[in-house]
Amino acid sequence: MQSIDNPTVESSSQKKEPERGAGETASGALRAWLDRRYQLTPLFDFLSHKQVPLGVHWMGWYYLGGITMFFFMVQVVTGVLLLMYYQPGEATAYESIHFLTTKVPFGWLIRSIHSWSAHLMIISLLLHMFSTMMLKAYRPPREVTWVSGYLLFLLTMGFGFSGYLLPWNKLAYFATTVGTNIVRSVPVLGNWLLEVLRGGQDVSINTLYRFFAAHVVILPLAFVAFIGLHLLLIQRQGMAPPLGEKVAPRGMRFFPSFALRDLLLWLACLMVLAALAVFLPYGPGIPGMDWELGDKADPLAPAYPGIKPEWYFLWEYQLLKEFPPHLFGLEGPQLCLFVIGILFVIWALIPWIDRRAYRDKPSPAFSDLGWAAILFLTYLTLMGWDVGAHHDAEQLTSMQEVARVCAWWTLAAGAVVILVRSWRFGHRWFILTGAALLQVILHGLIGVSYLLAGLISFVLAAIAILVLLYFRRSGADAAIST
Amino acid sequence: MEEHTTTVDKPATSRRHFIDLLLGVSVVAWLASVAYPIIRYLKPLPQTGSGGPTHLTRDEASKLEQKQFVIVPVSGQRVIVVNVQDRTCAFSAKCTHEGCTVTYLPGQSVIWCPCHDGRFDLNGRVLSGPPPRPLSQYAVNRQPDGGIVISEERA
Ligand code: FES
């Protein structure tokens, strides 16, 4: 309430969140006028009492959701601008983007911002998700918030995937071919899904129409709906207090203190975005983060080496490569889809799987799971990126070498993670991280096949956990629990 | 007394139950009648490409001469036609792994899929890499006038 006579707050909170701050922009009279009609006082009261928990974690984690939303808003604005020139169609899609980037004043800038902001949005979303995971903010009563955030994450992947095809260039054509083909492995519905997704047997201009509809209408509507739900839940419940406490020791007022900081940070993000878009208009030039238009898609041209999806799909792409043609009577891609499906379902259900956090107790195993997941993804992503490959050499010869170089990088990262966790945070639970690193060693340094290495590590980790549970049961848990 | 209430209640609950059931069924039926047209609408029509044998055009034939291979559409499918020494063969150009368009490496006489490094021999069999099935073969007929006809029957 005290912020009403503070002009800075008024304008900033209005710009940021119209529904939250709508009342605060009005002068007293206008406010009274509105209040008489719509009884806004409880809302203002609620907002002015809203607090951000403080004093436990680094505060930075709390800004990531807001930053993700900021990038999403940038996507909406630049997306609408791009729509004014983009023409989906066999003879127009590629041409219109070409025209946009070469002829239209600042067309290149809008496209560049749209692409950069997409990547930055995914980065901040991933950070947001992993920090939520590590802080166990998903525990009751916030399970649905986690699931809605998870769905937003899937929708964002969908945005990236569908947007990739729209310029109708060669790279996108093949990346989409491979990407959509994965759904063929879905049991029973696979072929139907594939055809519905592609608008035919193969990727064609019909696919572009469907992806266009998804990218500019279906996904945004769904995204806004889920963001609404996500924010509503957060407003209703507030941010998660630290584990083991019902309320945080200290708090910061959301209005104006936190909102102003949010706003300042958004300004910084916009500046970073603008700098990147201007100085690197086609991306940093690494595979998977590069939006040079290239050649137009031609369904009758052969694929070429170096076709990669965007970086956040690289781990799936690499995993697909690691599966042999047949295994357990299934085709490799089917099994791969199955494994990916299981991983995604586990991730969605974490609030219910983590029984200790459920009871508001520290759950070191799940912090470790988060880090193990990060290392697992890192190793696959680095390999998908061909880190350590000689760019002019034959692809086959360097596969093992790539794995070795990537293994060293991942091991180095793993060592840092373990050291920091044990020194700085006193973690003592490293079984899953250890298993992830063991797989890296077995595959990258010793040369065991990726899947076998994974299986060995998985079995060893399972045994270790069982032994641990056994000891804990028999009362010797003093040394094990954190 | 108790008996009395059950006799009174029973028909009432079962009638209500029946009406609830009816309502449920009609809601499901209504949803289905909405969903069905949408599902049918989304499912693309079967390809109506010109079926049957395909003649290589002059452009395609000269490309075949120059590069030892060419990719042509045959009844809506991508087909790779390869010149090997004295014979010409044709395969589905759609990699059996994830459907990339394959290419031909004349130096090594293999059909190569660059997406995940799948390799096939000139019978379409998998040599290495992740593809789970061989490439299906197409029939190639050289006509007396030198024209090349690709058709779907197996060679
Ligand atoms: S698509 Fe051909 S090897 Fe994967």
Side-chain angles (χ1 to χ4, degrees), chain A residues 178, chain B residues 95 97-100 113 115-118 130-131:
Chain A
V178 175
Chain B
C95 178
H97 184 223
E98 294 295 353
C100 276
C113 176
C115 283
H116 310 100
D117 202 22

Side-chain angles (χ1 to χ4, degrees), chain B residues 12-26:
Chain B
T13 39
S14 70
R15 197 176 303 143
R16 153 154 268 152
H17 197 81
F18 178 71
I19 291 178
D20 279 350
L21 191 77
L22 216 60
L23 189 68
V25 168
S26 47

Side-chain angles (χ1 to χ4, degrees), chain A residues 111-131:
Chain A
R111 176 162 184 259
S112 175
I113 290 183
H114 195 71
S115 306
W116 266 115
S117 169
H119 289 275
L120 296 182
M121 175 176 164
I122 286 170
I123 292 173
S124 66
L125 193 149
L126 287 175
L127 290 175
H128 180 50
M129 191 167 73
F130 273 98
S131 64

Side-chain angles (χ1 to χ4, degrees), chain A residues 92-140:
Chain A
T92 52
Y94 176 85
E95 287 74 5
S96 63
I97 295 289
H98 188 76
F99 177 77
L100 178 92
T101 45
T102 52
K103 299 271 162 42
V104 177
F106 293 110
W108 63 273
L109 182 68
I110 302 295
R111 176 162 184 259
S112 175
I113 290 183
H114 195 71
S115 306
W116 266 115
S117 169
H119 289 275
L120 296 182
M121 175 176 164
I122 286 170
I123 292 173
S124 66
L125 193 149
L126 287 175
L127 290 175
H128 180 50
M129 191 167 73
F130 273 98
S131 64
T132 308
M133 158 84 192
M134 303 294 180
L135 302 181
K136 314 285 159 45
Y138 51 70
R139 69 191 189 279

